[in-house]
Amino acid sequence: MTLLLKNGFGLIDYKLQPLTVLIANNHIQELNGSTTEADEVIELHQDFISPGLIDLHVHLREPGFTNKETVKTGGMAALHGGFTTIGAMANLNPTPDTEERFKRQLELNRQTPIKIKQYAPVTKNRAGQFVVNFGQLAKAGAFAFSDDGSGIENAHIMLEAMRELAKLHLPLCDHAQDMALTNGGVLNAGMTAERLGVPGVNNVSEAVQIARNLVLAANTGVHYHVCHVSTKESINLIRLAKAQGVNVTCEVTPHHLLLDDSMIVGDEKSQFKMNPPLRSPEDRLACVAGLMDGTIDMIATDHAPHTDAEKKQGILASPNGIVGSETAFELLYTKFVKTGLWPLDKLIDWMSGAPKRLFHLNEAGQLKVGSLADIAVFDLTQEKIIEAKNFLSKGHNSPFLGEKVFGTTVLTVVDGKVTYRRKPNND
């Protein structure tokens, strides 16, 4: 089976050029080659051809929380957003913290054509008290370890985990949060929390954990990855640690780049509730600056679906999190690339190249001859409105509903097979 993606354009040697791609045997066979016929020819009408996007932070919710999302719906949502590889977090029920449970999770993940890299937890049941058997879980297929959703409070447990993972040359991905300093807060501590009369979360609850863990990472040599960094203090600590040679990487979410707590207005305030919370305008600008100067390595969505009923409980009772798989590229392209703040090649690297390089994802494709054909195609010219009715995720919990954006996904190809295709007159 051969597939020809015809009359698009793409980044070749960092320059936008006309581009036609021939795919055969799951691999890219030609870029702008002489072939004009194939078993299937798709006319792209000057749409943008990109390497498939990679999101190393999603929550698929299955097993245990299938009212919110399933592997199938979460996988389709990611494909709808142009992602071809995703990293699925381990906050599931049961937690995949044994070899048997982990292998069952891998079987479950095969329901969708997207490439799912599965996290294993750092501690049993993500309870922070006893480390898992890292060797067994790594052998079973864990590509990284994280207790995401829970900070690891015990420094001895963190040190033990880092030592073991350093031996295995696998990353420890940290949800940095000191619960004693979070103090039941639901929004960032500041004027917005005070105005709404709700408890606030201080910035130091994140930065204190990162500071401790950077010292432990320097001692062990582990690849320490900070999830969803959100404060200026955290970014400054990571910048300093990198300068000192610590093996640390970090990610930032689209919502921490685009939103801050001053924007929490209107009747749907619970749609702005997430963990870590939206910080101050100064923190948001620090996230943008940290990404641009290389302190922050990549963008990850922290896609966290919840039911409509859960998010209608109000800002105190509703759960943390928003969906992000289907809106990440189009929001960032519209707000940062189309406005001239970022070059397109940098956005693609933050959403594809960097996670592939830093997490050694050899099975993720690139836009070059001989590579596995993992490709996303985006319409950069037609404006659309983000509407929940077009989501393939079960979750509709997004503060970005109603936003006008460019960069809708036209086509997603995984291992040479079309896995998502925009319907005519649809988003």
Side-chain angles (χ1 to χ4, degrees), residues 143-294:
F143 87 110
F145 290 77
S146 181
D147 274 7
D148 186 65
S150 302
I152 297 174
E153 301 286 308
N154 188 307
H156 174 74
I157 292 293
M158 180 61 87
L159 179 61
E160 182 182 357
M162 285 186 173
R163 283 174 173 164
E164 292 302 312
L165 289 172
K167 295 175 187 175
L168 295 169
H169 305 287
L170 288 173
L172 190 153
C173 303
D174 182 33
H175 178 114
Q177 183 177 18
D178 187 323
M179 294 304 296
L181 295 172
T182 301
N183 199 29
V186 297
L187 295 180
N188 186 56
M191 290 188 294
T192 299
E194 293 173 6
R195 171 171 55 85
L196 296 176
V198 298
V201 180
N202 196 297
N203 279 18
V204 296
S205 62
E206 176 179 292
V208 163
Q209 287 292 84
I210 291 174
R212 182 200 73 178
N213 293 338
L214 286 169
V215 173
L216 298 178
N219 177 265
T220 61
V222 74
H223 176 185
Y224 173 57
H225 180 79
V226 184
C227 298
H228 40 51
V229 66
S230 69
T231 76
K232 60 184 184 296
E233 294 91 348
S234 300
I235 295 165
N236 287 335
L237 287 167
I238 294 166
R239 184 180 289 116
L240 178 61
K242 286 190 170 191
Q244 294 175 341
V246 179
N247 185 12
V248 57
T249 58
C250 62
E251 68 194 39
V252 66
T253 69
H255 43 276
H256 287 111
L257 293 166
L258 293 165
L259 301 174
D260 58 61
D261 62 355
S262 71
M263 302 174 186
I264 302 175
V265 295
D267 296 331
E268 299 293 329
K269 296 181 184 67
S270 61
Q271 300 291 11
F272 293 85
K273 184 182 178 185
M274 56 206 63
N275 188 21
L278 295 178
R279 305 291 186 176
S280 70
E282 186 179 4
D283 290 308
R284 182 180 68 81
L285 293 176
C287 287
V288 175
L291 189 63
M292 295 177 71
D293 72 16

Side-chain angles (χ1 to χ4, degrees), residues 321-358:
I322 67 171
V323 291
S325 294
E326 298 172 85
T327 59
F329 177 82
E330 57 194 12
L331 282 164
L332 295 170
Y333 174 78
T334 301
K335 303 297 184 179
F336 290 106
V337 177
K338 194 169 177 62
T339 57
L341 295 174
W342 295 347
L344 180 56
D345 65 295
K346 290 299 294 182
L347 177 60
I348 298 302
D349 192 62
W350 290 323
M351 298 187 75
S352 181
K356 175 178 171 61
R357 288 192 306 273
L358 296 173

